[in-house]
Amino acid sequence: MSKGRFGIFGGQYVPEVLMNAIIELEEAYHHYKNDKDFINELNKLLAKYAGRPSELYYADNMTKSLKGAKIYLKREDLNHTGSHKINNVLGQVLMAKKMGKTRVIAETGAGQHGVATATAAALLGLECEIFMGKEDTKRQALNVFRMELLGAKVHEVTSGTQTLKDAVNETFKEWTNRINDTHYVLGSVMGPYPFPDMVRDFQSVIGKEVKEQMLEAEGRLPDIILACVGGGSNAIGIFHEFIEHPEVRLIGCEAAGHGVETDKTAATMATGRLGVFHGMKSYFCQDEYGQIAPVYSISAGLDYPGVGPEHAYLKDIKRAEYVPVTDKEAVEAFEYLSRTEGIIPAIESAHAVAYALRLAPTLGQDKIMVINISGRGDKDVAAIARYKGEEIYE
Amino acid sequence: MNRIERAFSNGKAFIPFITAGDPSIEVTERLVHELANAGADLIELGIPFSDPMAEGPVIQAADNRALSAGATTDKIFDMVKRIRRTLDIPIAFMTYFNPVFSYGTERFLYNCKEAGVDAIIVPDLPYEERDELKPYCERSGISYISMIAPTSKERIDRIVTEAEGFIYCVSSLGVTGVRSHLELDAESMIKRVKEFKDIPCAIGFGIATPEQAKAMAEISDGVIIGSAIVRIIGQYGKDCVKPVTEYVRQIIDAIK
């Protein structure tokens, strides 16, 4: 079995032309993750530039309204650029710069990872090009302009379903065109090794903070942690610190779209099969011949036919649970959190909030639940209005 | 001499690539016969994949056309069986790993053997992941074709030591597709291969004109042409057999 495995999952399934670049990245990752100067520099950026640590907010109104578990929100939406994506991006772009790369490329679904990458590239003085499905450039028009404002060049991807999966395809292809001066800033805990490990390490700051903040607030660990899962980076980020504490239930909420019984879904854990795609062995939505299925979710960031290999492993060993949440439930939760707490969550994060609305009332008041609010929902306001039949454009 | 060895025993080998099922299984079947008649030495048949990560837009579009027209792995196996009744030309499958893995790797290779496929090329299985496929190929007597690229450098030694059949040399960086300018990195790559093993080297990616084919044939044992042919198929659809054959004859004249 090759490197970078979580059980049978993971690996390095990429064309030969990319292998030396992947190996170079592996070596850099192993070097810098233990390099004191790099760690200090990154921590300084996370604190002074991204605004970490993010708050662990006790949601009193929500707790009272649900009459069950005590609810805390991890406020990744308050980070600079508005989501958890900045954690990974600052790490990768800083590393790319130290590796002597002068250009970064990245895929984006909802635009959050693209915006974060463009931001870090602007800050650290690297050239930046972003690949985004044409369908998503329509759903998230404001983020396209935001990336351009930050000096990035945005490429509309017109192949396939014109969403996140196709943006990843095109970014990998672009990487094969130009390897020497270019680093691919992959946005989730997916792809070939070392990406799933490296992105997890950069995102695990979320869970580390939650542990400290929870011990300070409650003197104990939470009972349940909820996070949305597309590729799975915010979920791994908050789960990772708690994997060794089996008493903490870890629940990933995936996008069911119109429902797992329909073909308009992106719930990989519920409907996918073992496969090999985008450089990794994991679960994928696919047909009987292994053709990758066109998936659907209202959320551009969860609209992905696969899931990171570590999540597949956590599911297999039953350390984490994965539940599907529909568009309708997510939109209701989006509105609920806005009205109840005055916090507009990203539609991605609203999938985790939606499951909390189902679960919290079934639990005793002595239970503590943490929901990762992975991003803010400003980007989604127009799309939600359209979903509800109102023609608002940014 | 097996069929793959035979492909390289008639001067420089010409290896056309077509996507099976583009624009239909019937047309692909006719194309294979005509390519063989025209003097192709080995046919590289693509099993279409929804997300072909090493392909440029021309072959990706062909994969989409084939899948939309209903091509499946089983229909392609059946087609190869029919072709084998009358044709002895060497045939290599080119596909991505998921269609193989999802079908069941063992079952896939067994069916390859039954149908008369000689070799398999899987661009998203690098040397590090060869255990996913190579042992199954060995058991079924199918040649597992290794690829090398201009970025492979010192990796060439390891890859070539274990290689069999022939080496697929990727001419330049990037994905498949016609290029106006071809780098000559290929020559040093092939020299390095031959230092380790006496194995045929075929060059692919970017070759389109008879002049390019001739130049690449001079430094290698054979040329692989995909996008330039697939583009003609895309342009002429079901009427593509004649223009493809005409194009292929020009290439063969240039390299033989």
Side-chain angles (χ1 to χ4, degrees), chain A residues 186-208:
Chain A
L186 231 167
S188 193
V189 284
M190 48 161 284
Y193 177 76
F195 284 108
D197 298 57
M198 183 171 71
V199 176
R200 175 202 64 210
D201 288 350
F202 288 138
Q203 289 294 1
S204 61
V205 63
I206 304 173
K208 285 181 186 142

Side-chain angles (χ1 to χ4, degrees), chain A residues 6-212:
Chain A
F6 305 93
I8 60 166
F9 305 100
Q12 295 181 303
Y13 301 85
V14 294
E16 170 60 24
V17 66
L18 283 177
M19 274 313 296
N20 264 329
I22 294 279
I23 292 166
E24 180 194 6
L25 183 62
E26 249 175 78
E27 287 166 359
Y29 159 65
H30 286 291
H31 172 74
Y32 287 111
K33 76 175 186 181
N34 299 310
D35 181 86
K36 281 210 173 68
D37 292 341
F38 176 80
I39 296 168
N40 289 339
E41 215 171 317
L42 178 58
N43 286 342
K44 196 173 157 194
L45 284 174
L46 289 172
K48 301 295 177 194
Y49 187 71
R52 301 208 71 89
S54 69
E55 291 294 330
L56 182 68
Y57 168 74
Y58 169 56
D60 191 36
N61 295 343
M62 195 175 168
T63 302
K64 282 182 178 141
S65 107
L66 296 178
K67 301 184 180 67
K70 208 167 171 182
I71 294 168
Y72 283 84
L73 306 178
K74 180 59 173 168
R75 299 290 310 276
E76 291 298 298
D77 58 312
L78 295 178
N79 295 339
H80 181 42
T81 73
S83 81
H84 72 291
K85 293 291 186 189
I86 194 78
N87 306 329
N88 167 44
V89 155
L90 285 173
Q92 281 200 49
V93 178
L94 184 62
M95 200 173 87
K97 189 172 180 178
K98 291 193 181 289
M99 289 167 74
K101 306 288 178 186
T102 55
R103 174 175 176 257
V104 289
I105 54 175
E107 86 292 347
T108 198
Q112 294 302 89
H113 176 59
V115 167
T117 306
T119 300
L123 175 72
L124 297 170
L126 280 80
E127 213 183 307
C128 178
E129 292 181 38
I130 303 295
F131 294 80
M132 188 171 186
K134 190 179 174 187
E135 184 64 28
D136 292 337
T137 61
K138 280 189 270 173
R139 287 197 276 194
Q140 300 289 348
L142 194 60
N143 270 342
V144 175
F145 187 70
R146 195 171 280 149
M147 289 183 269
E148 287 168 351
L149 199 61
L150 291 159
K153 186 171 175 198
V154 180
H155 299 273
E156 244 179 33
V157 175
T158 55
S159 58
T161 50
Q162 309 189 349
T163 58
L164 180 54
K165 167 196 76 142
D166 310 285
V168 174
N169 290 345
E170 291 309 314
T171 319
F172 268 115
K173 288 180 189 181
E174 175 57 24
W175 204 20
T176 66
N177 274 326
R178 237 175 108 175
I179 295 170
N180 280 345
D181 67 346
T182 301
H183 172 66
Y184 178 5
V185 184
L186 231 167
S188 193
V189 284
M190 48 161 284
Y193 177 76
F195 284 108
D197 298 57
M198 183 171 71
V199 176
R200 175 202 64 210
D201 288 350
F202 288 138
Q203 289 294 1
S204 61
V205 63
I206 304 173
K208 285 181 186 142
E209 286 176 9
V210 167
K211 195 179 206 177
E212 240 174 68

Side-chain angles (χ1 to χ4, degrees), chain A residues 2 5 11-17 19-20 165 169 173 176-177 273 275-277 281 286 289-292, chain B residues 48-53 55 60 67 72 74 98-99 102 123-126 128-129 132 151-152 155 173-175:
Chain A
S2 67
R5 295 282 172 171
Q12 295 181 303
Y13 301 85
V14 294
E16 170 60 24
V17 66
M19 274 313 296
N20 264 329
K165 167 196 76 142
N169 290 345
K173 288 180 189 181
T176 66
N177 274 326
R273 277 192 300 128
V276 172
F277 182 50
K281 183 177 278 183
Q286 54 185 311
Y289 288 105
Q291 306 295 342
I292 303 303
Chain B
F49 182 48
S50 53
D51 297 84
M53 266 176 54
E55 312 300 345
Q60 182 160 10
L67 291 172
T72 66
D74 282 321
N98 203 48
S102 168
D124 59 348
L125 267 193
E128 279 73 0
E129 303 291 356
E132 290 275 12
T151 49
S152 296
R155 293 170 54 77
L173 292 181
V175 293

Side-chain angles (χ1 to χ4, degrees), chain A residues 206-222:
Chain A
I206 304 173
K208 285 181 186 142
E209 286 176 9
V210 167
K211 195 179 206 177
E212 240 174 68
Q213 291 163 324
M214 187 54 76
L215 286 173
E216 199 186 311
E218 298 280 351
R220 69 176 184 93
L221 298 182

Side-chain angles (χ1 to χ4, degrees), chain B:
Chain B
M1 193 185 289
N2 68 26
R3 280 196 288 251
I4 297 289
E5 286 162 350
R6 211 178 63 211
F8 291 91
S9 66
N10 171 32
K12 304 291 181 180
F14 171 62
I15 304 174
F17 167 91
I18 54 177
T19 299
D22 167 36
S24 67
I25 293 282
E26 294 68 34
V27 172
T28 301
E29 205 170 328
R30 274 166 51 210
L31 275 170
V32 171
H33 281 278
E34 290 309 315
L35 289 167
N37 288 340
D41 297 289
L42 188 158
I43 308 278
E44 194 188 336
L45 267 184
I47 297 181
F49 182 48
S50 53
D51 297 84
M53 266 176 54
E55 312 300 345
V58 172
I59 293 178
Q60 182 160 10
D63 282 20
N64 289 341
R65 289 193 299 266
L67 291 172
S68 305
T72 66
T73 310
D74 282 321
K75 287 180 189 170
I76 294 165
F77 277 130
D78 289 342
M79 176 191 74
V80 174
K81 275 184 206 158
R82 285 194 299 273
I83 290 170
R84 270 284 169 258
R85 281 184 212 141
T86 51
L87 270 190
D88 199 38
I89 191 163
I91 293 176
F93 270 160
M94 201 297 295
T95 191
Y96 288 78
F97 189 53
N98 203 48
V100 177
F101 180 76
S102 168
Y103 196 84
T105 307
E106 195 161 1
R107 177 172 160 238
F108 187 94
L109 269 300
Y110 177 82
N111 285 359
C112 283
K113 189 71 196 168
E114 288 289 294
V117 175
D118 302 293
I120 183 164
I121 307 165
V122 180
D124 59 348
L125 267 193
Y127 178 80
E128 279 73 0
E129 303 291 356
R130 67 196 180 286
D131 285 349
E132 290 275 12
L133 189 57
K134 197 159 185 273
Y136 299 93
C137 288
E138 282 163 3
R139 256 175 266 156
S140 327
I142 306 286
S143 296
Y144 175 84
I145 304 303
S146 304
M147 299 178 94
I148 58 169
T151 49
S152 296
K153 300 191 179 104
E154 75 290 345
R155 293 170 54 77
I156 290 178
D157 316 357
R158 264 176 290 159
I159 294 170
V160 169
T161 307
E162 288 198 20
E164 55 182 300
F166 67 95
I167 301 280
Y168 190 127
C169 303
V170 175
S171 70
S172 41
L173 292 181
V175 293
T176 56
V178 171
R179 291 161 173 71
S180 55
H181 175 74
L182 283 175
E183 295 157 54
L184 287 172
D185 291 351
E187 195 167 7
S188 59
M189 257 196 311
I190 289 169
K191 270 202 188 112
R192 187 156 184 169
V193 171
K194 301 282 184 180
E195 280 170 26
F196 283 87
K197 201 173 203 168
D198 183 24
I199 186 169
C201 292
I203 306 184
F205 280 41
I207 303 166
T209 66
E211 294 71 31
Q212 287 173 323
K214 187 168 189 289
M216 288 295 137
E218 273 165 13
I219 59 167
S220 69
D221 304 302
V223 294
I224 303 166
I225 297 189
S227 296
I229 294 173
V230 170
R231 196 163 60 180
I232 299 172
I233 297 172
Q235 190 183 341
Y236 291 93
K238 62 179 172 35
D239 302 320
C240 67
V241 179
K242 195 164 167 256
V244 166
T245 314
E246 281 166 9
Y247 167 77
V248 160
R249 283 186 203 281
Q250 287 175 40
I251 299 290
I252 292 172
D253 285 346
I255 68 170
K256 291 286 184 183

